[in-house]
Amino acid sequence: MQAGRQPSREQMLRHLRRANEVARRALVQGHHPFGAVLVGPDHSSVLLEQGNVDAVNHAESTLARIAAMRYSAAHLWTCTLYTTFEPCVMCAGTQYWANIGRVVYALEESRLLALTGDDPQNMTFDLPCREVFARGQKAIEVHGPFPELEAELVALHRDFWQRAGNC
């Protein structure tokens, strides 16, 4: 990760809320309500936004693959992936291989599991992204969770999973 400046808490909260708006748009389009945003090294420029597509094209992994095609690995190392929920093992792995140097998530994957239970549409791993990254050869910086955002994010998910008959 780049030495020096870190995103401020205010910047993190702003981008996490934007990721939640991306999740809301995904929901309107008939997808699960997950959203991700890639922010440049200045901590303000939004480079990409991505909502969830399906069970194997999560918002974070799809964004990471697109980012890897558009930007150099060196540039991505200085960028931040913001996401509504902690990246699952697939998304953390994709972020690692794309070389995105920082992730900021609003709520832990364990919180998502509490919302979805054993729903076959969201077979959540009980494996924190910090543990996935710790097994790699580069130090991905992780920030999260942000409990002050829980009500905003959980409302969107609770409504979705209840409508689907899963809560």
PDB file of all heavy atoms in Angstrom, residues 5 8-9 17-18 28 37 39 46-47 50 56 63 66 72 88 99 107 123 126 133 138-139 143-145 150:
ATOM      1  N   ARG A   5      -0.772   9.218   2.956  1.00  0.00           N
ATOM      2  CA  ARG A   5      -2.156   9.583   3.174  1.00  0.00           C
ATOM      3  C   ARG A   5      -3.135   8.411   3.119  1.00  0.00           C
ATOM      4  O   ARG A   5      -3.104   7.604   2.207  1.00  0.00           O
ATOM      5  CB  ARG A   5      -2.539  10.610   2.117  1.00  0.00           C
ATOM      6  CG  ARG A   5      -3.675  11.461   2.544  1.00  0.00           C
ATOM      7  CD  ARG A   5      -3.869  12.602   1.570  1.00  0.00           C
ATOM      8  NE  ARG A   5      -5.285  12.628   1.329  1.00  0.00           N
ATOM      9  CZ  ARG A   5      -5.853  12.643   0.152  1.00  0.00           C
ATOM     10  NH1 ARG A   5      -5.150  12.676  -0.920  1.00  0.00           N
ATOM     11  NH2 ARG A   5      -7.151  12.653   0.043  1.00  0.00           N
ATOM     12  N   SER A   8      -9.875   9.559   4.888  1.00  0.00           N
ATOM     13  CA  SER A   8     -10.434   9.961   6.183  1.00  0.00           C
ATOM     14  C   SER A   8     -11.687   9.133   6.468  1.00  0.00           C
ATOM     15  O   SER A   8     -12.268   8.517   5.570  1.00  0.00           O
ATOM     16  CB  SER A   8     -10.799  11.442   6.165  1.00  0.00           C
ATOM     17  OG  SER A   8     -11.910  11.653   5.292  1.00  0.00           O
ATOM     18  N   ARG A   9     -12.097   9.110   7.704  1.00  0.00           N
ATOM     19  CA  ARG A   9     -13.329   8.402   8.073  1.00  0.00           C
ATOM     20  C   ARG A   9     -14.517   8.970   7.305  1.00  0.00           C
ATOM     21  O   ARG A   9     -15.380   8.225   6.850  1.00  0.00           O
ATOM     22  CB  ARG A   9     -13.559   8.483   9.582  1.00  0.00           C
ATOM     23  CG  ARG A   9     -14.694   7.593  10.041  1.00  0.00           C
ATOM     24  CD  ARG A   9     -14.635   7.360  11.541  1.00  0.00           C
ATOM     25  NE  ARG A   9     -15.633   6.411  11.960  1.00  0.00           N
ATOM     26  CZ  ARG A   9     -15.468   5.096  11.941  1.00  0.00           C
ATOM     27  NH1 ARG A   9     -14.339   4.570  11.541  1.00  0.00           N
ATOM     28  NH2 ARG A   9     -16.435   4.288  12.331  1.00  0.00           N
ATOM     29  N   ARG A  17     -21.605   4.819   1.535  1.00  0.00           N
ATOM     30  CA  ARG A  17     -22.997   5.184   1.232  1.00  0.00           C
ATOM     31  C   ARG A  17     -23.242   5.163  -0.278  1.00  0.00           C
ATOM     32  O   ARG A  17     -24.302   4.752  -0.734  1.00  0.00           O
ATOM     33  CB  ARG A  17     -23.335   6.540   1.831  1.00  0.00           C
ATOM     34  CG  ARG A  17     -23.540   6.461   3.333  1.00  0.00           C
ATOM     35  CD  ARG A  17     -24.096   7.747   3.922  1.00  0.00           C
ATOM     36  NE  ARG A  17     -24.496   7.511   5.285  1.00  0.00           N
ATOM     37  CZ  ARG A  17     -23.818   7.954   6.360  1.00  0.00           C
ATOM     38  NH1 ARG A  17     -22.727   8.682   6.209  1.00  0.00           N
ATOM     39  NH2 ARG A  17     -24.257   7.679   7.563  1.00  0.00           N
ATOM     40  N   ARG A  18     -22.251   5.580  -1.041  1.00  0.00           N
ATOM     41  CA  ARG A  18     -22.385   5.506  -2.502  1.00  0.00           C
ATOM     42  C   ARG A  18     -22.478   4.046  -2.954  1.00  0.00           C
ATOM     43  O   ARG A  18     -23.275   3.704  -3.822  1.00  0.00           O
ATOM     44  CB  ARG A  18     -21.203   6.200  -3.179  1.00  0.00           C
ATOM     45  CG  ARG A  18     -21.351   6.245  -4.690  1.00  0.00           C
ATOM     46  CD  ARG A  18     -20.396   7.203  -5.319  1.00  0.00           C
ATOM     47  NE  ARG A  18     -20.557   7.222  -6.758  1.00  0.00           N
ATOM     48  CZ  ARG A  18     -20.104   8.189  -7.524  1.00  0.00           C
ATOM     49  NH1 ARG A  18     -19.466   9.217  -6.994  1.00  0.00           N
ATOM     50  NH2 ARG A  18     -20.271   8.142  -8.827  1.00  0.00           N
ATOM     51  N   VAL A  28     -33.112  -2.708  -7.834  1.00  0.00           N
ATOM     52  CA  VAL A  28     -34.139  -2.240  -8.772  1.00  0.00           C
ATOM     53  C   VAL A  28     -34.043  -2.996 -10.101  1.00  0.00           C
ATOM     54  O   VAL A  28     -35.049  -3.261 -10.758  1.00  0.00           O
ATOM     55  CB  VAL A  28     -34.027  -0.713  -8.982  1.00  0.00           C
ATOM     56  CG1 VAL A  28     -34.876  -0.230 -10.143  1.00  0.00           C
ATOM     57  CG2 VAL A  28     -34.404   0.029  -7.703  1.00  0.00           C
ATOM     58  N   VAL A  37     -17.622   0.160  -5.145  1.00  0.00           N
ATOM     59  CA  VAL A  37     -17.113   1.370  -5.788  1.00  0.00           C
ATOM     60  C   VAL A  37     -15.592   1.330  -5.701  1.00  0.00           C
ATOM     61  O   VAL A  37     -15.039   1.026  -4.644  1.00  0.00           O
ATOM     62  CB  VAL A  37     -17.659   2.637  -5.068  1.00  0.00           C
ATOM     63  CG1 VAL A  37     -17.062   3.897  -5.644  1.00  0.00           C
ATOM     64  CG2 VAL A  37     -19.180   2.683  -5.120  1.00  0.00           C
ATOM     65  N   VAL A  39     -12.279   3.625  -5.875  1.00  0.00           N
ATOM     66  CA  VAL A  39     -11.888   5.020  -5.728  1.00  0.00           C
ATOM     67  C   VAL A  39     -10.380   5.147  -5.931  1.00  0.00           C
ATOM     68  O   VAL A  39      -9.607   4.317  -5.448  1.00  0.00           O
ATOM     69  CB  VAL A  39     -12.307   5.561  -4.339  1.00  0.00           C
ATOM     70  CG1 VAL A  39     -11.819   6.984  -4.120  1.00  0.00           C
ATOM     71  CG2 VAL A  39     -13.829   5.492  -4.201  1.00  0.00           C
ATOM     72  N   VAL A  46     -14.102   8.634  -8.184  1.00  0.00           N
ATOM     73  CA  VAL A  46     -14.708   7.323  -8.375  1.00  0.00           C
ATOM     74  C   VAL A  46     -14.353   6.838  -9.774  1.00  0.00           C
ATOM     75  O   VAL A  46     -14.667   7.480 -10.769  1.00  0.00           O
ATOM     76  CB  VAL A  46     -16.238   7.377  -8.174  1.00  0.00           C
ATOM     77  CG1 VAL A  46     -16.882   6.037  -8.506  1.00  0.00           C
ATOM     78  CG2 VAL A  46     -16.561   7.782  -6.742  1.00  0.00           C
ATOM     79  N   LEU A  47     -13.669   5.705  -9.833  1.00  0.00           N
ATOM     80  CA  LEU A  47     -13.214   5.145 -11.109  1.00  0.00           C
ATOM     81  C   LEU A  47     -14.220   4.162 -11.697  1.00  0.00           C
ATOM     82  O   LEU A  47     -14.384   4.094 -12.910  1.00  0.00           O
ATOM     83  CB  LEU A  47     -11.861   4.449 -10.919  1.00  0.00           C
ATOM     84  CG  LEU A  47     -10.744   5.304 -10.320  1.00  0.00           C
ATOM     85  CD1 LEU A  47      -9.484   4.467 -10.139  1.00  0.00           C
ATOM     86  CD2 LEU A  47     -10.476   6.522 -11.189  1.00  0.00           C
ATOM     87  N   GLN A  50     -20.082  -0.862  -9.415  1.00  0.00           N
ATOM     88  CA  GLN A  50     -20.600  -2.148  -9.881  1.00  0.00           C
ATOM     89  C   GLN A  50     -21.596  -2.704  -8.875  1.00  0.00           C
ATOM     90  O   GLN A  50     -21.302  -2.799  -7.692  1.00  0.00           O
ATOM     91  CB  GLN A  50     -19.461  -3.156 -10.065  1.00  0.00           C
ATOM     92  CG  GLN A  50     -19.889  -4.500 -10.568  1.00  0.00           C
ATOM     93  CD  GLN A  50     -20.486  -4.447 -11.959  1.00  0.00           C
ATOM     94  OE1 GLN A  50     -19.868  -3.901 -12.871  1.00  0.00           O
ATOM     95  NE2 GLN A  50     -21.676  -4.995 -12.133  1.00  0.00           N
ATOM     96  N   VAL A  56     -22.220 -15.854  -9.067  1.00  0.00           N
ATOM     97  CA  VAL A  56     -20.787 -15.988  -9.352  1.00  0.00           C
ATOM     98  C   VAL A  56     -20.173 -14.709  -9.907  1.00  0.00           C
ATOM     99  O   VAL A  56     -18.983 -14.675 -10.196  1.00  0.00           O
ATOM    100  CB  VAL A  56     -20.482 -17.175 -10.304  1.00  0.00           C
ATOM    101  CG1 VAL A  56     -20.829 -18.485  -9.644  1.00  0.00           C
ATOM    102  CG2 VAL A  56     -21.191 -17.013 -11.627  1.00  0.00           C
ATOM    103  N   LEU A  63     -16.219  -5.952 -10.359  1.00  0.00           N
ATOM    104  CA  LEU A  63     -15.509  -4.674 -10.388  1.00  0.00           C
ATOM    105  C   LEU A  63     -14.001  -4.903 -10.476  1.00  0.00           C
ATOM    106  O   LEU A  63     -13.316  -4.248 -11.272  1.00  0.00           O
ATOM    107  CB  LEU A  63     -15.848  -3.851  -9.144  1.00  0.00           C
ATOM    108  CG  LEU A  63     -15.206  -2.472  -9.080  1.00  0.00           C
ATOM    109  CD1 LEU A  63     -16.158  -1.468  -8.457  1.00  0.00           C
ATOM    110  CD2 LEU A  63     -13.914  -2.515  -8.299  1.00  0.00           C
ATOM    111  N   ILE A  66     -12.984  -5.982 -14.028  1.00  0.00           N
ATOM    112  CA  ILE A  66     -13.045  -4.847 -14.962  1.00  0.00           C
ATOM    113  C   ILE A  66     -11.888  -3.895 -14.696  1.00  0.00           C
ATOM    114  O   ILE A  66     -11.224  -3.419 -15.628  1.00  0.00           O
ATOM    115  CB  ILE A  66     -14.405  -4.117 -14.846  1.00  0.00           C
ATOM    116  CG1 ILE A  66     -15.531  -5.030 -15.343  1.00  0.00           C
ATOM    117  CG2 ILE A  66     -14.381  -2.803 -15.626  1.00  0.00           C
ATOM    118  CD1 ILE A  66     -16.925  -4.523 -15.011  1.00  0.00           C
ATOM    119  N   SER A  72      -3.495  -0.326 -14.656  1.00  0.00           N
ATOM    120  CA  SER A  72      -2.297  -1.111 -14.357  1.00  0.00           C
ATOM    121  C   SER A  72      -2.347  -1.634 -12.920  1.00  0.00           C
ATOM    122  O   SER A  72      -3.001  -1.036 -12.045  1.00  0.00           O
ATOM    123  CB  SER A  72      -1.043  -0.251 -14.534  1.00  0.00           C
ATOM    124  OG  SER A  72      -0.945   0.695 -13.481  1.00  0.00           O
ATOM    125  N   CYS A  88     -16.540 -11.645   0.271  1.00  0.00           N
ATOM    126  CA  CYS A  88     -16.481 -13.087   0.492  1.00  0.00           C
ATOM    127  C   CYS A  88     -15.117 -13.591   0.020  1.00  0.00           C
ATOM    128  O   CYS A  88     -14.312 -12.849  -0.539  1.00  0.00           O
ATOM    129  CB  CYS A  88     -17.615 -13.784  -0.270  1.00  0.00           C
ATOM    130  SG  CYS A  88     -17.395 -13.804  -2.065  1.00  0.00           S
ATOM    131  N   ASN A  99      -4.859  -6.790  -7.649  1.00  0.00           N
ATOM    132  CA  ASN A  99      -3.858  -5.926  -7.014  1.00  0.00           C
ATOM    133  C   ASN A  99      -4.440  -4.618  -6.468  1.00  0.00           C
ATOM    134  O   ASN A  99      -3.755  -3.602  -6.406  1.00  0.00           O
ATOM    135  CB  ASN A  99      -2.679  -5.632  -7.956  1.00  0.00           C
ATOM    136  CG  ASN A  99      -1.397  -5.377  -7.186  1.00  0.00           C
ATOM    137  OD1 ASN A  99      -1.054  -6.126  -6.289  1.00  0.00           O
ATOM    138  ND2 ASN A  99      -0.687  -4.310  -7.537  1.00  0.00           N
ATOM    139  N   LEU A 107     -20.262  -3.600   6.571  1.00  0.00           N
ATOM    140  CA  LEU A 107     -20.690  -4.602   7.548  1.00  0.00           C
ATOM    141  C   LEU A 107     -20.003  -5.932   7.295  1.00  0.00           C
ATOM    142  O   LEU A 107     -19.703  -6.275   6.154  1.00  0.00           O
ATOM    143  CB  LEU A 107     -22.214  -4.797   7.481  1.00  0.00           C
ATOM    144  CG  LEU A 107     -23.058  -3.572   7.831  1.00  0.00           C
ATOM    145  CD1 LEU A 107     -24.535  -3.887   7.691  1.00  0.00           C
ATOM    146  CD2 LEU A 107     -22.746  -3.048   9.218  1.00  0.00           C
ATOM    147  N   MET A 123     -24.971 -18.412  -0.208  1.00  0.00           N
ATOM    148  CA  MET A 123     -24.298 -19.380   0.654  1.00  0.00           C
ATOM    149  C   MET A 123     -23.012 -18.750   1.203  1.00  0.00           C
ATOM    150  O   MET A 123     -21.929 -18.912   0.658  1.00  0.00           O
ATOM    151  CB  MET A 123     -24.001 -20.661  -0.113  1.00  0.00           C
ATOM    152  CG  MET A 123     -25.254 -21.372  -0.601  1.00  0.00           C
ATOM    153  SD  MET A 123     -26.438 -21.778   0.699  1.00  0.00           S
ATOM    154  CE  MET A 123     -25.531 -22.960   1.643  1.00  0.00           C
ATOM    155  N   ASP A 126     -18.008 -18.501   6.239  1.00  0.00           N
ATOM    156  CA  ASP A 126     -17.617 -17.927   7.518  1.00  0.00           C
ATOM    157  C   ASP A 126     -16.095 -17.794   7.491  1.00  0.00           C
ATOM    158  O   ASP A 126     -15.376 -18.511   8.172  1.00  0.00           O
ATOM    159  CB  ASP A 126     -18.080 -18.819   8.672  1.00  0.00           C
ATOM    160  CG  ASP A 126     -17.782 -18.203  10.022  1.00  0.00           C
ATOM    161  OD1 ASP A 126     -17.483 -16.999  10.079  1.00  0.00           O
ATOM    162  OD2 ASP A 126     -17.827 -18.933  11.020  1.00  0.00           O
ATOM    163  N   PHE A 133      -6.677 -12.523   3.030  1.00  0.00           N
ATOM    164  CA  PHE A 133      -5.535 -11.683   2.660  1.00  0.00           C
ATOM    165  C   PHE A 133      -4.273 -12.070   3.431  1.00  0.00           C
ATOM    166  O   PHE A 133      -3.167 -11.994   2.895  1.00  0.00           O
ATOM    167  CB  PHE A 133      -5.842 -10.203   2.872  1.00  0.00           C
ATOM    168  CG  PHE A 133      -6.929  -9.668   1.974  1.00  0.00           C
ATOM    169  CD1 PHE A 133      -7.885  -8.803   2.476  1.00  0.00           C
ATOM    170  CD2 PHE A 133      -7.001 -10.020   0.635  1.00  0.00           C
ATOM    171  CE1 PHE A 133      -8.884  -8.286   1.657  1.00  0.00           C
ATOM    172  CE2 PHE A 133      -7.994  -9.519  -0.199  1.00  0.00           C
ATOM    173  CZ  PHE A 133      -8.941  -8.643   0.320  1.00  0.00           C
ATOM    174  N   LYS A 138       1.025 -10.338  -0.214  1.00  0.00           N
ATOM    175  CA  LYS A 138       1.034  -8.874  -0.163  1.00  0.00           C
ATOM    176  C   LYS A 138       0.016  -8.411   0.867  1.00  0.00           C
ATOM    177  O   LYS A 138      -0.966  -9.092   1.133  1.00  0.00           O
ATOM    178  CB  LYS A 138       0.763  -8.265  -1.532  1.00  0.00           C
ATOM    179  CG  LYS A 138      -0.439  -8.814  -2.259  1.00  0.00           C
ATOM    180  CD  LYS A 138      -0.484  -8.319  -3.698  1.00  0.00           C
ATOM    181  CE  LYS A 138      -1.461  -9.147  -4.507  1.00  0.00           C
ATOM    182  NZ  LYS A 138      -1.438  -8.800  -5.909  1.00  0.00           N
ATOM    183  N   ALA A 139       0.292  -7.280   1.439  1.00  0.00           N
ATOM    184  CA  ALA A 139      -0.516  -6.775   2.548  1.00  0.00           C
ATOM    185  C   ALA A 139      -1.644  -5.883   2.043  1.00  0.00           C
ATOM    186  O   ALA A 139      -1.479  -4.676   1.856  1.00  0.00           O
ATOM    187  CB  ALA A 139       0.363  -6.007   3.533  1.00  0.00           C
ATOM    188  N   HIS A 143     -10.274  -2.005   6.111  1.00  0.00           N
ATOM    189  CA  HIS A 143     -10.973  -1.151   7.073  1.00  0.00           C
ATOM    190  C   HIS A 143     -12.431  -1.599   7.128  1.00  0.00           C
ATOM    191  O   HIS A 143     -13.068  -1.769   6.104  1.00  0.00           O
ATOM    192  CB  HIS A 143     -10.923   0.325   6.643  1.00  0.00           C
ATOM    193  CG  HIS A 143      -9.559   0.896   6.597  1.00  0.00           C
ATOM    194  ND1 HIS A 143      -8.964   1.493   7.677  1.00  0.00           N
ATOM    195  CD2 HIS A 143      -8.641   0.930   5.594  1.00  0.00           C
ATOM    196  CE1 HIS A 143      -7.748   1.888   7.335  1.00  0.00           C
ATOM    197  NE2 HIS A 143      -7.527   1.555   6.075  1.00  0.00           N
ATOM    198  N   GLY A 144     -12.945  -1.758   8.309  1.00  0.00           N
ATOM    199  CA  GLY A 144     -14.334  -2.138   8.490  1.00  0.00           C
ATOM    200  C   GLY A 144     -14.435  -3.028   9.708  1.00  0.00           C
ATOM    201  O   GLY A 144     -13.424  -3.557  10.176  1.00  0.00           O
ATOM    202  N   PRO A 145     -15.601  -3.166  10.235  1.00  0.00           N
ATOM    203  CA  PRO A 145     -16.892  -2.621   9.812  1.00  0.00           C
ATOM    204  C   PRO A 145     -17.138  -1.202  10.326  1.00  0.00           C
ATOM    205  O   PRO A 145     -16.364  -0.682  11.139  1.00  0.00           O
ATOM    206  CB  PRO A 145     -17.883  -3.595  10.443  1.00  0.00           C
ATOM    207  CG  PRO A 145     -17.200  -4.047  11.705  1.00  0.00           C
ATOM    208  CD  PRO A 145     -15.732  -4.093  11.366  1.00  0.00           C
ATOM    209  N   GLU A 150     -25.037   0.454   9.821  1.00  0.00           N
ATOM    210  CA  GLU A 150     -25.785  -0.801   9.850  1.00  0.00           C
ATOM    211  C   GLU A 150     -27.261  -0.624   9.517  1.00  0.00           C
ATOM    212  O   GLU A 150     -27.802  -1.367   8.693  1.00  0.00           O
ATOM    213  CB  GLU A 150     -25.641  -1.504  11.203  1.00  0.00           C
ATOM    214  CG  GLU A 150     -26.367  -2.825  11.206  1.00  0.00           C
ATOM    215  CD  GLU A 150     -25.962  -3.727  12.350  1.00  0.00           C
ATOM    216  OE1 GLU A 150     -25.025  -3.414  13.083  1.00  0.00           O
ATOM    217  OE2 GLU A 150     -26.610  -4.781  12.484  1.00  0.00           O
TER     218      GLU A 150
END
